[in-house]
Structure formats: structure tokens, C-alpha cells
Amino acid sequence: MLKTYTYPKFEYRRPEDLDCTTVRRHPVLIVGAGPVGLALAIELRLKKLSVIVIDEDNTVSVGSRGVCYAKRTLEILDRLGVGDRVVEKGVAWNVGRTFFHEDEVYRFDLVTDPDHERPGMLNLQQYYLEEYLVERAQAVGVELRFKQQVLSVDAHEEGATLEVQSPDGRYQISTDWLIAADGARSPIRRALHLDVEGHVFQDRFLIADVLMKAGFPPQRWFWFDPPFHPNQSVLLHRQADDVWRIDFQLGWEADPEVEKQPDRVIPRIRAMLGAEHEFELEWISVYTFQCRRMAQFRHGRVLFVGDSAHQVSPFGARGANSGIQDADNIGWKLDLVLRGAAPQTLLDTYHEERAYAADENLLNSTRSTDFITPKSPISRVFRNAVLELAEHHAFAQRLVNSGRLSVPACYTHSRLNTPDLDAFAGHLTPGTPADDAPLPDGSWLLRQLAGGFTLLYFVDPGRRVDAEIAALTALVDDDISINLVLVAAIGAARSRYDAHHGTLYLLRPDQHVAARWRQMDLTRIRAAVRRACDLH
Amino acid sequence: MPLNLEPNFHEPGKHYLHGFSPGDEFYELLIKMHRPLSEAESIKVNARLILLLANHIGDLSVLREAMTIATQCATQE
């Protein structure tokens, strides 16, 4: 097994703290070098903060795990500087096909609106994403401490002090802010005796990474009750390197140890693919999942991100994607608080906005799970009736739920938004992530956003706006700097933003819309920036 | 008016960001309603539900069309 990928061994360096007589204090310490912890570390480092990441291991995730990365995640990875690598290696897809017994009953296309740089979804084994993120983190100067385990945490009003076990002995380390990106079983969450509320789903799934040369198109294929795996569901995804990911639903009674044996797995795959396809197994695992979240993601100076804060069922690819959006949400807020530019209460809005997102993810993934795994005979009767009707009728196709795929949450109720004063059509209300659009020079709108607050200024081509630009440029020198980006009010940019000549959108550093206006008013723009920073 | 076979779930005053959300909400309500019921009770509840909804629709031509589609599916099995 494991033929296409060589697991890197990241270098362990003896931590300087071992040789210090006093406990060193750092601004930010992230525990967990998974996709979420690494994304946040890179984000903070790009903002020139010093960042340490501690991880027990010295390699990447074993097996494909996360697999599906949504358009919004790819856009975030672009800003972090790994998007191109991920997209080049991964397999882009937009079409999902759903089968019941032997018949196709439903087909969806994620990008109904073309003209986005990034695809609706991209499949890539999690180990590649982690490898690219580690390399990027090292390149930008994140201090990565591999093979080090947190033994204890003392959280207090000014930060946290941790005891860490390294291969060369124990040391203490102190931090102003502690980020727990340490996964579903979060040792930090446990050490602080914090609860995570929800429940385990009584079902088991076999996942296999299979190496094969198959001519199937890059699409998501989902089967309900197929002849080759009766009464259960099966999911097929194409990944990089001709590795295919197959998820077989097994039911709660299945014995995970028995089901993991290749002599059990191979016949299942052969039944699915038919005798003509040769394949090799790369990785096998059996998993169960939970749907739950912490009541609070912020506990004083300790912040929980990704799986440590919330866990969802895998249907809909809402785990890794929401975790990376957590990092996206918290990075700029932590930066402003650490610089003293914003109050600590700004970090409460991390919980408010991302708990809202987690609830949306939990709701959707729980609904998918209830559709995929009917819990009673009557529930199964309804499920199958939907699938039968879906073959011919649009209303039933809409009800088929094999996973509602990750889309970013819109923080429409966030207190950081400035409500509209002017009338706007379209979906980009305050709180919504900025939409991409092609620009006349062949580049993309989201690529123009540098990472701080940005003011998009829409201008009709050919119209002189020298005086307005001169006035808006002054905002760059504000305490909280605002970058100005001129956008030609034509094409997809015009329609998506419902932009006229002179329309302005204020975007937060995470590219969510903070405010928008039809007329330029520097006082209003500055007030909106202060509001988005929770300054009163 | 013929039987509407296009997606039609909605709630007055409620705005949905995703087309699938109102249908998913209906389906969740349906399954939750059945969750505490025994199979025999579920059959009775389904019957009452059909009668209530049929009366609400009222138009016999629509109901006839729905019955035809529902039984067509059954004969295909």
C-alpha cells in the first residue's frame, strides 16, 4: 500500500526554550499543524507577526482524509500563497451525479455562474495540502516545532502557559494568545475541561484510496442502494495521481477491524468497478463521525478553531473547509488586537460569526446524514420515494440530499456590518464574502485584494475620477489602513456587485463585505472601518 | 392549474440563500414528525396528512394527476 506518495519527515530542531532559565513569552502560539493551524500561522506571519506552531508529529496527515476543497477555500489559499500549487495538483470538478439502484436520478453543477477563477470544488489528498502549507509556512518564517507535545495548559487573564515535551526534554512556554487547532479530540479542550455538545451518528464508513487508471470524468458520483453494495450508500471521488477515493457506508453493526482487511475491501471495490478495472489499494480506514460544537469558541485568551471547536458529518465537505474559514475569520482580528488597533471584544465576533457558520454546517450536514442513513422504516420509505420521483420530476430532485456542499457562511447578522443606506440588488449584502469576477486585463478581482481592509471603487471606463481617487487615497494613511482598488464597472463585476459609476464596497481583510455605498463619503467609510473593528 | 412538479417549498416572509434549503427544511419536519411514532402510527398519520393536504388543494384534476404519478412510480418497481 501507499505507492504514489512519500511522506515527508519534517526536521525537529531543539527548542531554544530548553536552554532558557526564564519562561519565554510569545504573542501567538498555535497547537496543531493541520490545514487549519497552518493556514492561520501563514496568515498571521504575512501580517508580520511572530508565530509558533507546535505539533506532536513530524509528517503530514495519513490518507486522503479532507479531500474536497471548495471555491472559497481555494480563494483563501490564494491569499496565503498556496492556491496555485493546490489547484495545479488537484482535480477540479463542478458536476455531481446521484444514482439510485442502477439509474441516475439527479445531477448538479456547482458553478451555475461562470467567470470565477476557481472551480466549485477541487479534490486533493489532505497530505498534499498539508505539505504545501508546511513549505509555505517555513518560507514565510513561521516557527514550526515538530515532535513536541503539550503536557499541560494553564490559561489565565493575560494568556496561557504551557508545559511541552520535546525529544530533548520538557520546557515551559508562555503566550499572549493560544490557538487550539488540535483537532476533534483536542487535548487543549480536554485539559481546560471544556465541553463540546452534540452526538455521534450510529453509522460506520469504510474509506479506501485506490490507485487505478480509469477513464471516469472528474465528477462526484454518489449511489443510493446500488446493486454492488445493497441497502447502503457509496461515494466516489477522483483525486491527484490517479488515486480515487471511495467511501462505502457499512452500517453501525460492522466490525471496523474486520472491514479494514484488504481481503474484505478488495471484493467490495471489484464489485463496484467491475472486473475490467485493475486497481491497487493505497490506504484504508473505517470511521464514524460526530455532529457537535463547543458552546463558546473563545475562552479568554484561548481560541478554538476547526475540528477542536466543531465537527460535522463528512457529507458536504464542510469540515476542512469551515476550519480554513475559521482561520480566515480569526487571523485579521487577532492581528488588530495584538497591535492594539482593535479591542479584545473583536475576538468575541470570531465566536459569533463562526459559531453561526458552524450551526449552518451542522444543520446541513445533519439533514444530509438523515437522508443518506434513514433511521426508521418509514424514513427509508420517504427517502426512496424521493429518489424514485427524482428520476422524472424537478421538485423531487431538489429534495435529493447526498450532501449540501460547502459554501461560505454569510455573516449577514454580524454587528461588524454597516447596514445599507442605499438600495442594492443582488446577493452581496454586508457580511457576504466578496464574489470573484474577471477584469478587463485578464486578471481576477479577488487577486487585487492585498489582505487589509480594501475599498472597491467602481468606475465607468473612460470617466475621469482624479479628484475622488486623490481623496480616497488619503485612507491608506489611516491608523487602520484602507487599500483602494479601482474596478471597471462592466461585465460580471458590474452585475455581481450591482455596481454603478461611483459605487463603493468596503471589504474586511477576510474579503467579507463590511459596507457599501452609492456615494463617496469619507466620514461614513471611516465609521464603517471602526465598526468592523468593533471600535465604538 | 396543472400539478406543480417544480420546486415549490417556501415560507412567506422568509428569505433563503440556497435553493435547496426550504425543501430540506420540509423534509426535516416530515422525518421529525415520524420519529417518535411506531410504524402503525406512521401509516395512520400519513393517511391523515394526505387527506388534510388533498382538501387544501381541493382541485380534483390536480389530485387525479398526483395519484397517477404516484402509482406510476409504484408499477415501475
Side-chain angles (χ1 to χ4, degrees):
Chain A
M1 287 211 257
L2 290 167
K3 292 193 168 54
T4 59
Y5 185 75
T6 307
Y7 282 78
K9 287 263 178 280
F10 301 122
E11 189 191 353
Y12 157 75
R13 287 201 195 100
R14 183 185 163 90
E16 287 175 14
D17 306 66
L18 279 170
D19 308 310
C20 295
T21 47
T22 55
V23 176
R24 288 184 146 199
R25 190 175 181 90
H26 302 272
V28 188
L29 187 71
I30 298 172
V31 178
V36 180
L38 291 167
L40 180 57
I42 295 166
E43 168 99 53
L44 294 172
R45 191 67 204 117
L46 291 174
K47 295 183 187 305
K48 309 281 181 249
L49 292 167
S50 116
V51 190
I52 295 175
V53 181
I54 291 183
D55 196 274
E56 291 175 13
D57 208 351
N58 67 337
T59 188
V60 291
S61 138
V62 174
S64 57
R65 291 176 67 197
V67 187
C68 300
Y69 300 97
K71 179 161 76 69
R72 180 68 199 141
T73 300
L74 299 174
E75 290 163 357
I76 294 168
L77 295 176
D78 279 336
R79 212 179 62 232
L80 300 180
V82 291
D84 287 337
R85 241 185 129 182
V86 165
V87 170
E88 199 174 303
K89 185 72 190 172
V91 177
W93 62 275
N94 285 308
V95 172
R97 298 173 66 183
T98 303
F99 304 86
F100 179 45
H101 299 146
E102 285 165 317
D103 304 315
E104 180 164 358
V105 293
Y106 176 55
R107 183 188 177 101
F108 64 80
D109 192 338
L110 292 172
V111 178
T112 46
D113 210 6
D115 287 340
H116 288 88
E117 183 182 8
R118 295 312 186 192
M121 279 279 169
L122 184 103
N123 290 352
L124 184 65
Q125 297 91 313
Q126 187 169 328
Y127 42 78
Y128 278 117
L129 175 65
E130 289 187 13
E131 182 186 333
Y132 300 161
L133 285 167
V134 165
E135 286 177 19
R136 178 71 177 151
Q138 285 169 333
V140 298
V142 172
E143 187 184 339
L144 293 165
R145 296 190 178 188
F146 294 106
K147 288 223 144 309
Q148 293 171 58
Q149 188 185 6
V150 176
L151 297 174
S152 68
V153 185
D154 173 28
H156 45 80
E157 279 193 11
E158 274 78 48
T161 305
L162 293 82
E163 195 179 12
V164 179
Q165 178 74 55
S166 80
D168 290 311
R170 289 181 185 189
Y171 63 91
Q172 282 202 319
I173 189 166
S174 197
T175 183
D176 293 344
W177 295 94
L178 174 63
I179 311 292
D182 53 350
R185 292 183 192 88
S186 181
I188 292 186
R189 191 183 67 221
R190 289 181 179 193
L192 297 175
H193 305 291
L194 297 170
D195 284 333
V196 51
E197 289 151 26
H199 58 284
V200 180
F201 272 88
Q202 301 224 319
D203 207 342
R204 292 185 204 281
F205 291 81
L206 170 73
I207 27 180
D209 281 342
V210 170
L211 176 62
M212 65 173 172
K213 302 269 185 204
F216 311 136
Q219 298 172 340
R220 174 189 198 257
W221 288 5
F222 192 100
W223 288 265
F224 289 99
D225 193 8
F228 55 84
H229 194 55
N231 300 317
Q232 309 280 19
S233 67
V234 178
L235 177 60
L236 176 70
H237 275 291
R238 183 179 181 162
Q239 309 178 101
D241 303 331
D242 292 314
V243 175
W244 298 71
R245 161 78 172 264
I246 311 173
D247 291 39
F248 291 98
Q249 185 187 15
L250 294 177
W252 186 237
E253 306 306 323
D255 180 336
E257 289 312 311
V258 171
E259 294 297 343
K260 263 191 264 189
Q261 300 308 313
D263 59 358
R264 290 279 287 196
V265 177
I266 289 168
R268 287 192 193 283
I269 298 173
R270 188 150 287 144
M272 173 183 177
L273 298 172
E276 70 274 24
H277 285 101
E278 290 200 15
F279 63 88
E280 283 180 77
L281 287 174
E282 284 227 324
W283 173 68
I284 307 168
S285 179
V286 172
Y287 70 92
T288 57
F289 54 81
Q290 319 198 41
C291 284
R292 55 183 197 170
R293 79 158 167 93
M294 294 177 76
Q296 285 291 326
F297 297 175
R298 179 186 172 202
H299 286 265
R301 296 292 193 112
V302 187
L303 296 146
F304 292 83
V305 293
D307 281 356
S308 75
H310 46 78
Q311 295 137 45
V312 295
S313 92
F315 302 104
R318 289 168 179 268
N321 285 301
S322 67
I324 287 172
Q325 285 161 47
D326 286 352
D328 189 45
N329 188 286
I330 208 172
W332 66 277
K333 295 176 179 174
L334 199 52
D335 173 55
L336 288 173
V337 170
L338 271 162
R339 289 178 199 285
Q344 286 188 21
T345 54
L346 181 60
L347 289 165
D348 292 331
T349 70
Y350 160 69
H351 165 77
E352 289 158 17
E353 293 180 343
R354 294 310 299 168
Y356 170 80
D359 287 343
E360 192 173 280
N361 289 322
L362 283 163
L363 177 73
N364 280 296
S365 68
T366 302
R367 285 174 174 174
S368 302
T369 307
D370 284 341
F371 192 88
I372 292 163
T373 310
K375 310 268 182 305
S376 67
I378 194 74
S379 183
R380 183 173 290 271
V381 167
F382 273 113
R383 202 279 307 270
N384 290 352
V386 167
L387 291 168
E388 282 157 3
L389 288 164
E391 211 175 324
H392 300 286
H393 304 296
F395 88 95
Q397 290 173 356
R398 188 67 68 81
L399 291 173
V400 173
N401 190 345
S402 70
R404 301 303 187 195
L405 289 154
S406 172
V407 283
C410 301
Y411 314 135
T412 44
H413 303 294
S414 173
R415 64 175 144 116
L416 304 183
N417 299 338
T418 297
D420 283 338
L421 290 170
D422 306 315
F424 280 90
H427 67 281
L428 285 174
T429 52
T432 307
D435 207 349
D436 204 2
L439 299 180
D441 65 357
S443 64
W444 295 90
L445 196 156
L446 292 184
R447 293 281 192 165
Q448 315 306 313
L449 309 178
F453 278 92
T454 301
L455 198 60
L456 297 181
Y457 183 35
F458 290 86
V459 178
D460 281 345
R463 298 228 344 221
R464 302 287 307 238
V465 283
D466 302 354
E468 288 85 348
I469 290 171
L472 291 169
T473 305
L475 296 168
V476 175
D477 299 323
D478 281 13
D479 289 344
I480 296 168
S481 179
I482 309 169
N483 307 310
L484 180 64
V485 172
L486 285 184
V487 184
I490 52 170
R494 184 183 186 95
S495 56
R496 281 175 195 163
Y497 286 79
D498 184 28
H500 307 163
H501 177 74
T503 295
L504 295 138
Y505 273 73
L506 176 68
L507 305 180
R508 314 187 328 188
D510 61 4
Q511 304 181 348
H512 283 250
V513 176
R516 54 186 178 169
W517 304 273
R518 294 291 184 195
Q519 303 287 332
M520 186 177 96
D521 181 334
L522 294 189
T523 310
R524 287 205 168 122
I525 294 168
R526 288 187 165 116
V529 170
R530 289 178 60 78
R531 185 169 182 150
C533 296
D534 212 28
L535 287 157
H536 302 289
Chain B
M1 204 172 70
L3 177 67
N4 184 2
L5 291 165
E6 295 302 310
N8 187 37
F9 294 108
H10 58 272
E11 190 165 355
K14 212 162 165 181
H15 173 72
Y16 297 94
L17 287 170
H18 308 294
F20 55 77
S21 296
D24 284 2
E25 193 174 332
F26 156 72
Y27 196 83
E28 184 183 3
L29 286 171
L30 182 69
I31 300 307
K32 268 193 179 157
M33 177 190 76
H34 280 288
R35 196 161 288 162
L37 306 179
S38 69
E39 262 187 273
E41 286 166 336
S42 278
I43 291 169
K44 286 185 192 171
V45 167
N46 279 340
R48 289 180 205 126
L49 197 60
I50 290 167
L51 294 171
L52 286 163
L53 297 174
N55 176 64
H56 181 83
I57 293 159
D59 184 338
L60 291 181
S61 62
V62 172
L63 293 167
R64 223 174 263 127
E65 202 184 339
M67 287 180 195
T68 306
I69 290 175
T71 44
Q72 265 171 1
C73 256
T75 53
Q76 281 167 6
E77 275 175 16

